[in-house]
Amino acid sequence: MKLPLSWLKDYMNIDGIENAEYMHKMTMSGSIVEGIENPADEFKNVVTGKILKIEKHPDADKLVVCQVDVGEEAPIQIVTGAKNVFEGAVVPVAKHKSCLPGGVKITKGKLRGVESFGMMCSTDELGISEERATGILILPEDTAIGEDITKTLGLDESVAEFEITSNRPDCMSIIGLARETAATFGREFTVPTPEFETNNEDVSEYASAEIKDDELCSRFVGRVVKNVKIAPSPEWMQRRLKACGIRAINNVVDITNYIMLEYGQPMHAYDLDNVEGRKIIVRHAEENEQLETLDDQPRVLNESMIVISDEKRAIGVAGVMGGANSEVTDNTTTVLFESACFNAAAVRRGAKSLGMRTDASALFEKGLDSENCLNAINRACQLMVELGAGEVVGGYIDVYPKKKVQTVLPFEPEKMNDFLGMDISEQEMTDILATLDFEVKDGKVYVPTFRGDIEGMADIAEEVARIYGYDRIPTTMMRGEVVAGGKTPKQKLADIVRDELAGSGLYEIITYSFIDPKDNSLVNIPADDPRNNFVRITNPLGEESSVMRTDLISSMMKTLRTNYARRNAEAALFELGTIFTPVEGEQLPDETVNIAIGMYGNCDFYDIKGIVEGMLNRVGISDYDFKADTTNSTFHAGRCAEVTIDGRKLGTVGQISPKVCDNFKIDAEVYVAILDFELIAEKFTFDTHCKDLPKFPAVTRDIAVTVNKSVPVGDIVKIIKGQNADILESCELFDIYEGVQVGKDKKSVAYSITFRASDKTLTDDDVNPVMDKILKDLELKLDAQLR
């Protein structure tokens, strides 16, 4: 954001403020000044002069020799080839040993044998025009002779370059920066109320407006100016626009740009005679709708964009650029000014889709104050009247479906002082806030509508601290108990998990917590699933990063997609990432760490299941269960299991649904596990015990039982291991068979069961009772038959 410092004089007194002091204090109060430049610094020894006499060059037909009065005792001689010079003309003169913009140095010399003691300058040589001039700049006849050219042309202007953060759109305006300047330097700040005369007509006789969806546009204000006279804007306005990097066009367009700079409110002007039905409609664009914008480029629109239309066609992309079919031209006689507040995200989507980011869209993307619309359009009308550019029609159009509600917060001086570590009086806090247009009344702080970034006590405290002066915050010793360094048990657990997963051949990844709300639909999460209740970012960079994730699956799938798209034959990845769940009635969400494991290539369900089991065993958790899950829409119905600990869900392991893989363009079997790290942290233990090597041999018994296909093998294992027998050492599944030999809807499951005692060699009398009990329980509970 560029700020010509002289523009501040319209709102406050800046006498006595030096550039260096301005940079330092404004930066310290939170408005970072990157630098201050003055075009006059590039000029040296360039003055105004009057041509007294012109003679032909004796040896060159295209050159003339001029005697020029530059305010010295005697005229100087200058040789030039310019064709537009004449006796009596007042021109810019770069004298001997002068400097021009771009580092150009001028010294005396000879042209075809005739001495020349300087150079008469054109607009491009003076740096005030980007186009190459065809002749010398001719100044008004009454221009003082011998005057510094920077004073004559108004180039002696210091311009500060600000770095404005995205949460402060109010500072993307001259008035906003003037308010910050006045508060920083403790000076009075006033914004004059626009005043102008209107005729006795009613605007409703000329135009109307309609907002089809108040989510697209929170306010639309319009005013009509008739008998418009299109002409160049005055020199002072052109100079201010140029200092801010904007090219002057004509008085009407220049006024809209001037208001955008002054008030931070983009505006647009329509030729009302070219608006069909004289009605403005704010609506969604139609798919593949056509519009030629002001840059003479045809645009193809889509439904995600906001358009301004009349009763027949689109006449502008809202917040981005107007249409050529309603632009102001030299033949325009009636103008409709628009001052509106469009949805920030929708404007950004439209600008990005069209590949045309404008000054207006950059402002709208940050979220503007709808209460600013009317003041801005009134100021535009005031300028139209002052410049004699037209006659303002009485009344204005104001479509305002949802009036902006002012934020009101409790005023808590003691809490703020404790928070800041300072001792500022309540009255001084009140005075500081008043300089920033906050109102403190009856124990409450009334936040100005243009400060959408103020949400709580900490924000109010920051406003007080930055104007009071960060450098005045006293230095204090850190308070608190001395705590020995080291990692917490939870951090140590995370290290163990990472070590185990990396040891299993997986690579750790870190993904963004910001996601696109559409990502959940890509992984087939149902619309009514609680995971679609997102924490939304107040001022996102774009729709694709506008919410906080509630699940790690989409992040993992995106990373696997990237690897697959880059022709990696296989990938095995994991992440310990945070998910964010909104809590009703609470300002902050619930943050939970999950573990995501993802793989494709040379792997199957049992590989990822084994990795999960290995990790759980490593952290001392053995009482977990796997149970088939056929209801999870993200996973393959027949290859998905729910993992539980003590009846509580730990997570899900399985093959991703082919439909989800298609959504991510992965033509391979993908296996993913999502586990609750917080539950693991509750159940893990660092207490590990070693056993002596067995002194006595083991006894192994193999059994095969026939059960219904629907019986999970895990249930069989539970019954076998559920026998309270000290001698039962292990149970391993080694075969599953289905076929005509075991009958329809049946399967044969075979286990190898190992028995061992620590004090003797086991006999059949020791083992048989346990085996009989196992077979009896299997038959009673699962209708299992021994084969």
Side-chain angles (χ1 to χ4, degrees):
M1 175 69 190
K2 290 185 176 181
L3 169 67
L5 296 185
S6 66
W7 204 338
L8 293 175
K9 295 178 182 178
D10 291 0
Y11 319 102
M12 60 172 291
N13 177 17
I14 62 169
D15 292 346
I17 301 177
E18 299 295 331
N19 287 353
E21 180 189 15
Y22 186 79
M23 287 180 62
H24 174 70
K25 286 194 173 182
M26 290 298 290
T27 299
M28 289 300 293
S29 68
S31 301
I32 301 174
V33 184
E34 294 184 326
I36 297 179
E37 296 182 352
N38 191 327
D41 294 340
E42 295 191 90
F43 288 86
K44 179 183 176 182
N45 213 18
V46 183
V47 300
T48 58
K50 185 175 183 179
I51 301 176
L52 302 177
K53 185 177 181 181
I54 299 178
E55 298 177 337
K56 288 185 177 181
H57 192 289
D59 295 319
D61 294 338
K62 294 184 179 181
L63 298 178
V64 294
V65 180
C66 303
Q67 302 300 319
V68 184
D69 178 9
V70 291
E72 299 177 354
E73 292 183 1
I76 63 172
Q77 179 171 287
I78 297 177
V79 179
T80 181
K83 296 180 179 180
N84 67 325
V85 295
F86 56 90
E87 291 182 357
V90 180
V91 296
V93 178
K95 299 192 294 184
H96 174 52
K97 293 184 178 180
S98 62
C99 293
L100 291 170
V104 178
K105 296 182 178 180
I106 304 297
T107 58
K108 66 180 181 180
K110 288 185 178 182
L111 276 76
R112 300 293 294 270
V114 177
E115 283 191 312
S116 180
F117 293 88
M119 180 181 78
M120 291 180 280
C121 304
S122 62
T123 53
D124 59 311
E125 289 164 339
L126 294 171
I128 59 176
S129 173
E130 296 179 0
E131 299 178 0
R132 185 169 181 80
T134 57
I136 302 302
L137 173 63
I138 306 299
L139 299 170
E141 293 181 4
D142 58 351
T143 302
I145 305 303
E147 184 179 70
D148 191 313
I149 195 65
T150 60
K151 180 180 179 182
T152 303
L153 298 179
L155 299 177
D156 190 5
E157 171 72 272
S158 294
V159 179
E161 179 82 32
F162 282 85
E163 178 188 334
I164 307 298
T165 54
S166 59
N167 67 322
R168 291 298 306 276
D170 59 296
C171 287
M172 296 289 288
S173 67
I174 306 299
I175 289 176
L177 290 175
R179 181 187 294 110
E180 291 291 314
T181 301
T184 299
F185 287 90
R187 301 195 178 186
E188 186 178 348
F189 166 74
T190 304
V191 180
T193 301
E195 295 181 355
F196 52 93
E197 290 185 359
T198 64
N199 63 23
N200 295 325
E201 297 177 286
D202 193 305
V203 71
S204 61
E205 299 173 2
Y206 283 81
S208 62
E210 178 186 0
I211 299 174
K212 291 287 189 181
D213 183 350
D214 57 21
E215 292 297 323
L216 300 179
C217 178
S218 59
R219 190 179 190 183
F220 184 98
V221 180
R223 295 204 77 139
V224 173
V225 180
K226 60 185 291 189
N227 300 327
V228 172
K229 301 177 182 66
I230 302 297
S233 53
E235 186 271 335
W236 64 266
M237 181 177 287
Q238 292 190 39
R239 187 168 65 246
R240 283 186 170 180
L241 292 174
K242 179 177 173 57
C244 294
I246 294 180
R247 180 173 60 90
I249 298 174
N250 61 48
N251 51 1
V252 173
V253 176
D254 290 352
I255 283 173
T256 62
N257 287 329
Y258 189 88
I259 299 304
M260 180 178 67
L261 293 171
E262 187 175 38
Y263 278 74
Q265 173 62 48
M267 288 184 58
H268 188 65
Y270 301 92
D271 185 332
L272 191 55
D273 293 329
N274 289 328
V275 176
E276 295 287 346
R278 295 202 166 198
K279 182 176 182 179
I280 296 293
I281 302 171
V282 184
R283 58 172 173 83
H284 279 289
E286 297 174 2
E287 196 66 30
N288 297 322
E289 188 170 4
Q290 305 286 322
L291 173 67
E292 182 179 321
T293 46
L294 289 172
D295 56 359
D296 298 324
Q297 296 297 315
R299 308 287 179 180
V300 179
L301 313 180
N302 60 60
E303 293 178 348
S304 69
M305 302 175 188
I306 316 173
V307 295
I308 305 297
S309 74
D310 56 26
E311 291 184 340
K312 292 186 177 180
R313 74 264 160 92
I315 58 175
V317 182
V320 183
M321 186 178 287
N325 53 15
S326 61
E327 71 175 315
V328 173
T329 67
D330 292 342
N331 299 320
T332 298
T333 58
T334 307
V335 166
L336 172 65
F337 281 112
E338 164 208 293
S339 178
C341 193
F342 300 110
N343 180 280
V347 170
R348 178 176 174 80
R349 282 196 303 269
K352 187 175 181 181
S353 297
L354 294 172
M356 49 187 299
R357 196 163 189 266
T358 61
D359 291 335
S361 69
L363 276 167
F364 278 118
E365 288 169 15
K366 293 173 175 60
L368 300 184
D369 177 20
S370 55
E371 291 292 302
N372 195 33
C373 295
L374 183 57
N375 289 333
I377 203 168
N378 284 342
R379 172 64 168 148
C381 291
Q382 179 188 31
L383 289 172
M384 288 290 288
V385 172
E386 288 180 354
L387 301 184
E391 176 185 344
V392 181
V393 174
Y396 55 88
I397 302 165
D398 191 0
V399 184
Y400 202 176
K402 291 183 180 178
K403 186 173 176 62
K404 189 168 186 177
V405 179
Q406 185 177 21
T407 301
V408 181
L409 299 171
F411 183 47
E412 303 169 302
E414 292 183 8
K415 189 179 290 186
M416 288 195 289
N417 272 325
D418 185 59
F419 178 71
L420 297 171
M422 302 173 74
D423 186 19
I424 307 174
S425 70
E426 181 176 331
Q427 185 58 50
E428 190 168 5
M429 287 186 181
T430 301
D431 293 341
I432 288 173
L433 292 172
T435 64
L436 297 169
D437 282 355
F438 291 74
E439 183 182 6
V440 179
K441 183 174 64 177
D442 300 329
K444 295 180 179 180
V445 179
Y446 293 81
V447 181
T449 55
F450 57 79
R451 290 302 302 272
D453 59 312
I454 304 298
E455 297 179 347
M457 181 275 293
D459 298 320
I460 299 293
E462 180 185 6
E463 296 301 299
V464 171
R466 69 186 183 88
I467 301 301
Y468 181 80
Y470 291 128
D471 54 336
R472 296 173 65 185
I473 297 177
T475 302
T476 56
M477 294 293 292
M478 184 183 296
R479 294 175 294 178
E481 298 179 2
V482 178
V483 180
K487 293 186 176 181
T488 65
K490 197 170 180 179
Q491 290 171 328
K492 292 178 181 178
L493 173 64
D495 288 343
I496 292 173
V497 169
R498 289 188 174 95
D499 182 61
E500 175 64 25
L501 294 177
S504 298
L506 277 64
Y507 289 90
E508 184 175 9
I509 62 172
I510 300 174
T511 59
Y512 289 114
S513 298
F514 306 141
I515 65 167
D516 190 322
K518 299 186 186 71
D519 286 353
N520 276 5
S521 63
L522 293 178
V523 293
N524 274 4
I525 293 178
D528 59 350
D529 193 290
R531 286 174 291 178
N532 287 321
N533 182 22
F534 297 108
V535 175
R536 297 194 173 273
I537 308 302
T538 302
N539 192 22
L541 295 175
E543 182 69 12
E544 66 279 3
S545 58
S546 61
V547 299
M548 306 295 286
R549 63 186 175 191
T550 55
D551 196 289
L552 295 184
I553 295 180
S554 62
S555 299
M556 176 58 71
M557 289 299 295
K558 283 182 177 179
T559 309
L560 292 173
R561 175 182 62 189
T562 300
N563 281 269
Y564 187 81
R566 293 179 181 175
R567 302 183 183 278
N568 288 334
E570 57 184 52
L573 314 171
F574 76 92
E575 177 180 15
L576 269 72
T578 303
I579 62 173
F580 303 83
T581 306
V583 180
E584 188 174 354
E586 297 290 335
Q587 187 174 8
L588 298 177
D590 183 19
E591 299 184 25
T592 308
V593 177
N594 278 5
I595 303 170
I597 302 171
M599 51 204 306
Y600 70 83
N602 186 25
C603 59
D604 58 20
F605 174 83
Y606 296 103
D607 288 315
I608 194 167
K609 178 175 178 286
I611 289 171
V612 172
E613 290 178 320
M615 181 197 69
L616 295 175
N617 292 335
R618 173 73 182 276
V619 297
I621 298 175
S622 58
D623 55 342
Y624 54 83
D625 293 308
F626 288 86
K627 183 179 180 181
D629 184 357
T630 59
T631 61
N632 195 318
S633 57
T634 302
F635 292 85
H636 193 297
R639 301 176 185 175
C640 176
E642 181 179 275
V643 190
T644 60
I645 299 176
D646 294 340
R648 297 168 63 185
K649 182 176 178 179
L650 174 63
T652 304
V653 180
Q655 180 184 338
I656 294 295
S657 162
K659 181 179 179 181
V660 174
C661 288
D662 289 343
N663 291 340
F664 287 90
K665 296 180 173 56
I666 301 177
D667 187 20
E669 292 185 356
V670 177
Y671 297 90
V672 168
I674 300 293
L675 303 172
D676 185 352
F677 179 77
E678 307 294 342
L679 182 54
I680 294 174
E682 286 183 32
K683 298 294 183 179
F684 88 101
T685 176
F686 288 136
D687 295 333
T688 55
H689 301 279
C690 297
K691 293 182 180 180
D692 292 334
L693 290 172
K695 297 179 181 178
F696 300 95
V699 175
T700 302
R701 297 285 180 90
D702 294 342
I703 63 168
V705 294
T706 304
V707 295
N708 291 328
K709 282 184 179 181
S710 61
V711 175
V713 293
D715 290 353
I716 300 174
V717 174
K718 284 182 185 178
I719 291 175
I720 295 174
K721 290 185 175 181
Q723 308 301 318
N724 293 322
D726 294 336
I727 61 173
L728 198 155
E729 184 175 79
S730 65
C731 169
E732 299 292 337
L733 172 70
F734 68 85
D735 183 57
I736 299 178
Y737 171 74
E738 296 178 10
V740 294
Q741 291 87 343
V742 295
K744 187 179 180 182
D745 297 328
K746 297 284 186 179
K747 63 183 176 183
S748 173
V749 186
Y751 289 90
S752 179
I753 306 173
T754 302
F755 299 90
R756 192 194 303 271
S758 60
D759 56 351
K760 66 176 182 177
T761 300
L762 297 176
T763 64
D764 288 345
D765 292 338
D766 297 314
V767 175
N768 287 343
V770 180
M771 285 298 300
D772 292 341
K773 183 70 167 55
I774 289 173
L775 293 172
K776 183 178 179 181
D777 286 351
L778 288 173
E779 182 178 4
L780 288 174
K781 297 178 180 179
L782 302 178
D783 193 22
Q785 302 297 321
L786 184 66
R787 289 188 67 193

